[in-house]
Amino acid sequence: MPLILTLIGILTLVLLVAFVRLDTFISFVIVSLGIGLASGMDVIAVGKSIQSGIGGTLGELVLIIGFGAMLGRLVAESGAARRITDVLIGWFGIKNIRWGLALAGFVIGIPLFYNAGFIIVVPLIFTIAASSRLPLMSVAVPMLSALSVAHGYLPPHPSPSAVAGQLNANIGQTLIYGIIVAIPAIVIAGPLFGKTLTNVKATPNRELFNTREIPADKLPGAGISFFVALLPVLLLTTFGPLKNSLPAESPLKTIVTLMAEPYIGMLLSVLVAMYALGIRQGLSMKAITKDLEEAVKAVAPILLVIAGAGALKQVFSDSGTSKYIGSLLADAAIPPLLLGWGIAAFIRVCVGSATVAGLTTVGIILPLIQSQAIKPELMVLAIGSGSLMFSHINDGGFWLFKEYFNLTIGQTIRTWSLMETIVSIVGLLGVLALNLIV
């Protein structure tokens, strides 16, 4: 019965989100309530479960995602993202421009959420394609594949951060493994796949542009642009391993432990960005604060989706459903990492949202992590890879890509959907390979 209730719950969630078009957070709460009551929990218990699930899931995640959104906004609005792109294009030249764009997309994609990153880089893609006289799709796909990989694999992005928190995975280690897995995924889905799209005709829809124009001589310097964009990565990958290597009696232990906290790293990055990309560029504190407020507004819907997924996960746990499913999965012949990827991929194809797919999968797969010796950091990446599988007409990213590049649905499937599928499959293969090594 618990398995049947889970399937009914997931199908109901798909129906409400994809077909009824009901708000995702409300859909999660309704499904959580239904599964809890159908499992025999009383109304008060279900209510407490939903509340504790929301609170437990958001926790420090509000800080990580909130600060991440602020940092991304400052990087974008200051022109630092454009400077990074210009520098990398200068390094690689026109002949190898696809590789430069892939690297630029990845660097920009680390601090920027996908939709914000997309809006920032699309005008750059159009400009570069026009000046280099290269087919538009062959220029666009390398950069956007890198953005997508960062969105699906790497903290501080919402889904991988939330999944890592639920699985008690180390954020810094997840980031390191994620970068390793991301490289082949970006190479294959980006420059190599992009080179095959030279015959796809695309005409940019310039009416959709709405970005702050900054004169070239007013852009921040290359060094500070790269430093600020990559500062969260530098802090997480430096202080995380250092914390574990210091003896307990070391006077530096407390400071290093504090610096290793992801939210502290994000906070410091925001403070540095406020000065380096704001005050130092001549902006008033009032203008900077306005940008930070807009960033929080933009990320609020994402936090609600994560909160709803946390409620569903907690109901799965408190009703005993997760424990029952875990006992079934423990005896399954499917390798756990492949199973996590497969569940996330199925939900992604049905619902369309990578975030929903990743967070819903956690509630189902969590008991398996607790009963088997699986590195949680690799499971985060397996689920993240699965959550990017075959984006199609039920995904907002699909329509964003289609409308900006004025493509038909068939062309969008051939380019965008196939790119996302390659990213997902190569990501899984990378995780399985990494599992053999670590």
Side-chain angles (χ1 to χ4, degrees):
M1 193 64 186
L3 185 59
I4 294 173
L5 287 176
T6 301
L7 292 175
I8 292 174
I10 292 174
L11 290 174
T12 303
L13 185 65
V14 170
L15 178 67
L16 292 175
V17 174
F19 295 100
V20 179
R21 303 289 182 184
L22 185 63
D23 177 78
T24 306
F25 174 68
I26 294 175
S27 300
F28 265 121
V29 173
I30 291 173
V31 171
S32 300
L33 184 62
I35 289 178
L37 294 175
S39 300
M41 298 173 68
D42 61 59
V43 175
I44 295 177
V46 174
K48 287 183 178 179
S49 186
I50 290 174
Q51 291 172 32
S52 64
I54 290 173
T57 298
L58 290 181
E60 75 165 348
L61 199 61
V62 171
L63 297 174
I64 296 173
I65 294 177
F67 290 144
M70 293 177 184
L71 177 63
R73 180 83 179 189
L74 293 172
V75 168
E77 294 296 330
S78 66
R82 180 179 158 194
R83 173 67 77 188
I84 290 169
T85 306
D86 290 345
V87 168
L88 290 173
I89 290 168
W91 289 350
F92 284 85
I94 296 298
K95 183 179 178 181
N96 298 309
I97 194 68
R98 297 181 183 91
W99 298 95
L101 287 172
L103 181 56
F106 190 60
V107 172
I108 293 170
I110 291 173
L112 279 174
F113 291 151
Y114 183 82
N115 286 350
F118 185 97
I119 300 302
I120 294 302
V121 304
V122 162
L124 303 176
I125 290 170
F126 291 158
T127 302
I128 292 163
S131 61
S132 65
R133 297 183 180 179
L134 292 171
L136 184 56
M137 282 296 98
S138 71
V139 173
V141 165
M143 199 169 207
L144 295 178
S145 67
L147 280 182
S148 182
V149 166
H151 168 71
Y153 293 9
L154 305 181
H157 287 270
S159 184
S161 296
V163 172
Q166 294 296 328
L167 298 179
N168 291 322
N170 181 281
I171 292 283
Q173 204 168 47
T174 301
L175 183 59
I176 293 172
Y177 290 161
I179 292 173
I180 294 171
V181 173
I183 293 171
I186 293 172
V187 168
I188 296 172
L192 297 183
F193 176 59
K195 203 171 182 179
T196 69
L197 303 175
T198 54
N199 294 326
V200 178
K201 303 297 181 183
T203 306
N205 188 346
R206 297 184 182 275
E207 294 180 1
L208 295 175
F209 290 179
N210 186 25
T211 56
R212 182 188 294 175
E213 287 294 331
I214 300 175
D217 60 339
K218 299 292 184 182
L219 294 175
I224 198 64
S225 297
F226 275 98
F227 176 73
V228 173
L230 295 175
L231 187 55
V233 178
L234 295 174
L235 292 174
L236 283 171
T237 55
T238 300
F239 287 101
L242 187 60
K243 177 184 69 173
N244 298 323
S245 63
L246 287 175
E249 63 274 8
S250 172
L252 294 176
K253 182 74 172 181
T254 301
I255 297 175
V256 172
T257 300
L258 180 64
M259 294 295 292
E261 289 293 325
Y263 72 91
I264 293 294
M266 294 305 303
L267 172 60
L268 289 175
S269 300
V270 170
L271 293 174
V272 170
M274 288 173 65
Y275 172 74
L277 302 181
I279 294 172
R280 197 174 171 206
Q281 295 297 115
L283 292 179
S284 65
M285 185 57 72
K286 183 178 180 181
I288 295 170
T289 302
K290 180 67 175 177
D291 277 339
L292 300 184
E293 289 173 353
E294 291 299 319
V296 173
K297 289 179 185 177
V299 83
I302 297 174
L303 287 171
L304 280 177
V305 171
I306 293 173
L312 181 59
K313 185 224 67 164
Q314 193 64 41
V315 169
F316 274 141
S317 177
D318 293 347
S319 65
T321 301
S322 287
K323 186 175 181 180
Y324 175 78
I325 293 175
S327 66
L328 294 178
L329 296 178
D331 298 325
I334 304 174
L337 293 173
L338 181 59
L339 188 63
W341 176 88
I343 294 172
F346 173 76
I347 297 173
R348 154 72 162 191
V349 172
C350 292
V351 175
S353 168
T355 303
V356 172
L359 295 174
T360 305
T361 301
V362 174
I364 299 171
I365 209 76
L366 188 58
L368 189 61
I369 293 291
Q370 296 168 343
S371 63
Q372 295 193 27
I374 303 295
K375 286 188 75 70
E377 294 80 14
L378 294 183
M379 183 58 82
V380 173
L381 296 175
I383 292 173
S385 300
S387 73
L388 296 176
M389 185 66 174
F390 192 70
S391 163
H392 59 97
I393 60 173
N394 61 359
D395 178 23
F398 177 93
W399 295 102
L400 197 66
F401 186 90
K402 177 188 179 299
E403 294 303 318
Y404 266 85
F405 292 101
N406 267 340
L407 300 172
T408 66
I409 288 180
Q411 287 175 320
T412 311
I413 290 174
R414 181 187 166 193
T415 53
W416 168 261
S417 301
L418 192 51
M419 177 199 81
E420 290 285 85
T421 302
I422 294 171
V423 163
S424 179
I425 294 173
V426 175
L428 170 66
L429 295 176
V431 170
L432 295 176
L434 201 55
N435 186 49
L436 297 176
I437 300 171
V438 299

